[in-house]
Amino acid sequence: MNLLGMIKIRITREDVAKKAGVSPATVSYILNNSRKFSDRTVTRVMNAVSELNYKPDMIAKSMVTRRTHQIAVVMDNLLNTYYGEIALAFEKAAMEEGYFVNICSGSINLDAYFEFFITHRIDGAMILALPDKYHINNLYNLVDSGTKIIIGGIDDIDLKRVSLIDNNYGEGMLLAMEHLYSLGHRQIFYLSSLPGGEQYDFRYTNFLKFQKERLNNNGENYVVTLGKSYYNGIDSGVSLMQKLLKMQRPFTAVVCSNDLLAMGAIKALYSAGLRVPQDISVVGFDNIMYGSCWLPPITSVTHDKADFGRKAFNILNESIQSNITGFYKADVKLAAGKSTAYVNETTLKY
C-alpha cells in the first residue's frame, strides 16, 4: 500500500450533499434542524451521513452559529460524591443534546476558570461553588461575554442575568431539628464548615430560629465552625467534633452541614469513647452514597440529585437557546439512617 492509500481523507459536507443529491446548504439545514424538509430528503441526507461516517466540523460550525456546544460544570469539591451524582445526570442530559461537558474543580480560585470560559467561548456553565471562591464582578463579566450561567449556593444574584438552582436547605434544617426534638434531644449543636453564617448557609438561619422558638436558646452559642477556613471533608468533621468536645458543653446530638462532616464527627466520637447513636445522635445533609455505608449509616437530609442535575441542564440549555433565565429550588426530605436514636440522658456530661 502506498502512502496516499494510508492517508485518511476527511469527509466534507459537500461529499454528503453529492451522495444525497442535494445542496451543501440543505445538508447544513437538516443537520442543524433549522429548516423543514420532506421525510424523503431528510432520510437521503441522514443515510449519506451514516454511510460516509461524516463528522461535522464543530470549529467551522461555531464560527457561523457563534456557539461551541461546550458547557462546563464547576463543583465545589470533586471528592464529595454529592456533586458527582449531580454532575453525572447533568452530563448525560447535556450529551443527549450534543454538548461536550468540561468538569472543573472549585478547589481553586474560579476567576481563572471564568477567563478560560470567555476566551474559549463556553456556551454555558453550572457553578456549584460558594461565592468566596470568586469575585461576583468576574461572574457578571462572564455573563456579559455571552456565557449563560446557572448557579447554586447563593441567593444574592441578579436573576435577570443569571439562573439559580438550589435545595431548600432551610427547610432541611427544620426537618433535622424536628426529628431530633421528637427523639427527646434538647442539647443540639450545629457543626458547620461554611463561612459567613447565614450569608452563605440557609441551614444556619433556621437552626437559630429553632433554637430560639422551640428551645429558648441563643442559637449562636450552639454553632461550631472552623473560623475563616472552609473545607467540607471528613477531616473537617473530625476537627469540628474535637473542638466541641474540648468545649465541655453538654450535648446529646449534632447536625452537620453535610455528610462528610457527619462521617468525620462520628469518627471523632468513636475515638473519644462515645457511641453513635447510643450516646450521641448525628444528622448530616446530602445523603451521599458513602453515608449509607458508614457505621452507622447516616440519617441525612436529602433530595433527588439526578433530577437536580437534569433540571439544572434544562434551565441552562433554555437560557442558551432562548436567552432567558430560570429558577428552581428542590424539595428535601429526611432519609432515616441508624445514626439517630432517643436521647440518652447520661451523655449530657459530654
Side-chain angles (χ1 to χ4, degrees):
M1 181 181 294
N2 60 32
L3 182 60
L4 289 176
M6 298 175 61
I7 298 174
K8 186 175 181 180
I9 300 175
R10 180 179 179 85
I11 302 300
T12 67
R13 182 186 60 168
E14 287 71 20
D15 296 325
V16 175
K18 183 177 180 179
K19 186 171 185 63
V22 299
S23 70
T26 297
V27 173
S28 293
Y29 291 140
I30 289 175
L31 293 182
N32 293 328
N33 196 27
S34 56
R35 286 193 185 180
K36 295 291 184 181
F37 290 88
S38 68
D39 291 343
R40 182 179 178 183
T41 301
V42 172
T43 299
R44 289 210 319 269
V45 169
M46 296 312 295
N47 285 342
V49 167
S50 178
E51 291 174 21
L52 296 173
N53 194 26
Y54 171 63
K55 306 295 184 186
D57 186 336
M58 297 306 294
I59 295 176
K61 183 178 179 180
S62 70
M63 293 176 68
V64 175
T65 64
R66 306 293 294 176
R67 293 178 184 166
T68 61
H69 270 74
Q70 291 196 58
I71 53 180
V73 176
V74 181
M75 297 179 289
D76 198 76
N77 180 4
L78 290 177
L79 299 179
N80 188 342
T81 60
Y82 168 75
Y83 296 104
E85 291 178 62
I86 293 172
L88 283 174
F90 181 97
E91 181 184 40
K92 183 175 185 296
M95 292 186 70
E96 288 173 354
E97 293 296 324
Y99 288 96
F100 177 82
V101 182
N102 301 272
I103 304 296
C104 308
S105 169
S107 60
I108 64 171
N109 186 303
L110 299 186
D111 293 326
Y113 274 138
F114 294 168
E115 286 295 327
F116 181 91
F117 295 163
I118 291 172
T119 57
H120 287 72
R121 295 186 180 177
I122 298 295
D123 291 337
M126 175 174 69
I127 299 174
L128 301 179
L130 288 175
D132 66 326
K133 300 281 183 69
Y134 57 88
H135 293 90
I136 194 67
N137 288 337
N138 290 333
L139 176 70
Y140 287 135
N141 288 339
L142 177 61
V143 173
D144 292 340
S145 76
T147 300
K148 304 303 181 184
I149 298 296
I150 184 166
I151 196 167
I154 179 175
D155 270 356
D156 186 18
I157 201 77
D158 185 351
L159 292 177
K160 293 181 180 179
R161 304 167 71 185
V162 177
S163 296
L164 180 65
I165 189 166
D166 221 328
N167 309 311
N168 198 338
Y169 285 122
E171 178 64 24
M173 176 57 80
L174 294 180
L175 290 175
M177 294 296 284
E178 286 287 359
H179 172 68
L180 292 171
Y181 190 88
S182 71
L183 295 174
H185 295 278
R186 301 296 183 265
Q187 302 292 332
I188 307 168
F189 275 77
Y190 176 39
L191 307 186
S192 174
S193 65
L194 299 169
E198 58 190 324
Q199 180 183 357
Y200 299 141
D201 187 4
F202 310 115
R203 311 165 188 78
Y204 177 87
T205 304
N206 276 356
F207 178 80
L208 299 187
K209 178 180 179 182
F210 194 96
Q211 287 281 358
K212 179 180 179 180
E213 296 180 359
R214 301 292 295 280
L215 299 175
N216 297 315
N217 292 326
N218 179 353
E220 292 182 355
N221 294 332
Y222 290 83
V223 177
V224 182
T225 70
L226 294 172
K228 293 183 179 181
S229 62
Y230 166 65
Y231 180 69
N232 57 10
I234 293 176
D235 289 347
S236 294
V238 172
S239 297
L240 286 166
M241 179 53 71
Q242 289 174 341
K243 184 176 180 179
L244 174 56
L245 290 170
K246 289 178 181 178
M247 292 166 63
Q248 297 186 330
R249 296 270 305 279
F251 70 99
T252 62
V254 295
V255 180
C256 302
S257 56
N258 66 42
D259 283 351
L260 292 179
L261 289 190
M263 292 160 70
I266 291 171
K267 182 179 179 181
L269 286 168
Y270 283 155
S271 296
L274 295 168
R275 302 166 299 168
V276 177
Q278 296 91 334
D279 298 321
I280 305 293
S281 287
V282 178
V283 178
F285 271 77
D286 299 335
N287 194 32
I288 63 174
M289 59 182 71
Y290 295 145
S292 62
C293 302
W294 207 246
L295 292 176
I298 296 169
T299 296
S300 184
V301 175
T302 186
H303 67 95
D304 189 331
K305 293 179 278 296
D307 183 64
F308 188 93
R310 289 190 296 268
K311 284 277 198 330
F313 169 74
N314 290 337
I315 292 172
L316 181 61
N317 190 39
E318 188 172 7
S319 182
I320 293 169
Q321 301 295 334
S322 305
N323 198 32
I324 60 176
T325 57
F327 170 80
Y328 175 69
K329 180 166 281 192
D331 293 329
V332 297
K333 62 182 180 180
L334 191 71
K338 300 291 185 181
S339 63
T340 54
Y342 281 97
V343 66
N344 182 350
E345 296 290 347
T346 62
T347 64
L348 282 174
K349 64 182 179 178
Y350 297 107

